[in-house]
């Protein structure tokens, strides 16, 4: 990635994180594009160059995280078991980026409550659904390449991608129900491990 592309990616990421942070703190209806742009250190016009609205900006971080997981899957060692690779790349999404380092989460309970309210926002759910469908398709393509299966003819890569999406969604929902008292890393590790084991009865 060249310098220009990297700077654009950094600006996009900063805007998305600012949109999430402010929405968690204030509520979706109480955040303006101007607020997001100010928090990211850019103009509202720059925001509009990247996103059509607050919902797309928030969903962008979710999409980028899952796209990185697809890229990461292809970069794992060839001989590594598939579900071991998947778990590694899934957990790598929780490594703190520069925005989170600059604005650490001080109160996990308050953060989880704000996230729960944000994710229940009807104006945002459509954007998140679109982002999730796109990311799942890209992950299925990565699984197909990794396993030598055919994306058009074989069920397997789509089934794996759907299972990983479900594991993410269930782990996130449980994290929010717990009020942030259990880490997402632990929940996702458990969810993926149970799927890899064939979901035996507890």
């Amino acid at each position: 990635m060249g310098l220009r592309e990297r700077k654009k990616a950094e600006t996009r990421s900063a805007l998305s994180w600012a949109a999430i942070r402010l929405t968690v703190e204030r509520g979706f209806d109480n955040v303006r594009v101007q607020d997001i742009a100010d928090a990211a250190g850019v103009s509202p016009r720059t925001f509009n160059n990247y996103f059509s609205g607050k919902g797309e900006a928030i969903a962008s971080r979710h999409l980028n995280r899952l796209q990185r997981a697809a890229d990461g899957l292809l970069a794992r060692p060839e001989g590594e078991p598939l579900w071991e690779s998947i778990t590694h790349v899934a957990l790598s999404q929780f490594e703190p980026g520069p925005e989170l380092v600059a604005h650490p989460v001080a109160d996990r309970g308050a953060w989880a409550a704000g996230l729960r309210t944000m994710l229940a926002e009807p104006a945002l759910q459509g954007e998140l659904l679109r982002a999730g469908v796109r990311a799942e398709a890209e992950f299925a393509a990565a699984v197909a390449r990794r396993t030598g299966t055919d994306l058009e003819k074989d069920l397997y890569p789509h089934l794996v991608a759907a299972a990983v999406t479900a594991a993410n969604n269930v782990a996130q929902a449980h994290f929010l129900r717990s009020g942030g008292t259990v880490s997402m890393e632990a929940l996702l590790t458990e969810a993926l491990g149970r799927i890899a084991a064939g979901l035996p009865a507890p």
Side-chain angles (χ1 to χ4, degrees):
M1 183 184 294
L3 179 61
R4 182 180 179 187
E5 288 74 19
R6 186 164 65 251
K7 284 187 175 297
K8 288 175 68 175
E10 289 171 354
T11 299
R12 187 179 186 88
S13 179
L15 285 166
S16 182
W17 170 248
I20 292 170
R21 181 170 58 84
L22 292 174
T23 300
V24 167
E25 291 172 356
R26 304 179 187 177
F28 189 80
D29 292 335
N30 298 319
V31 177
R32 302 171 302 157
V33 167
Q34 179 73 58
D35 300 326
I36 298 168
D38 288 346
V42 300
S43 69
R45 181 177 179 181
T46 297
F47 176 94
N48 292 328
N49 287 338
Y50 286 88
F51 302 112
S52 62
K54 295 182 294 183
E56 185 182 359
I58 292 169
S60 173
R61 193 170 185 86
H62 174 63
L63 174 60
N64 289 345
R65 188 168 60 239
L66 297 179
Q67 287 174 325
R68 287 198 302 273
D71 292 338
L73 181 60
L74 296 176
R76 297 299 298 168
E78 274 189 31
E80 187 174 60
L82 177 64
W83 283 97
E84 185 176 330
S85 295
I86 287 173
T87 301
H88 180 89
V89 299
L91 295 180
S92 70
Q93 67 183 298
F94 300 108
E95 295 171 0
E99 304 89 0
L100 190 54
V101 171
H103 302 280
V105 175
D107 186 333
R108 288 174 66 91
W111 179 257
L115 277 177
R116 187 165 57 245
T117 300
M118 182 184 79
L119 294 173
E121 173 59 49
L124 178 59
Q125 289 175 345
E127 292 288 355
L128 289 170
L129 182 60
R130 279 190 286 273
V133 169
R134 180 177 166 190
E136 185 175 312
E138 293 189 22
F139 199 82
V143 172
R145 287 181 59 187
R146 174 64 188 264
T147 59
T149 50
D150 190 313
L151 195 61
E152 298 299 323
K153 297 179 181 178
D154 294 325
L155 181 67
Y156 186 77
H158 300 283
L159 189 59
V160 170
V164 172
T165 298
N168 268 285
N169 292 341
V170 170
Q172 182 182 70
H174 199 72
F175 169 80
L176 296 176
R177 281 195 300 271
S178 77
T181 58
V182 184
S183 75
M184 268 294 295
E185 293 92 329
L187 291 168
L188 189 53
T189 298
E190 180 182 354
L192 292 172
R194 287 176 179 266
I195 289 172
L199 282 179

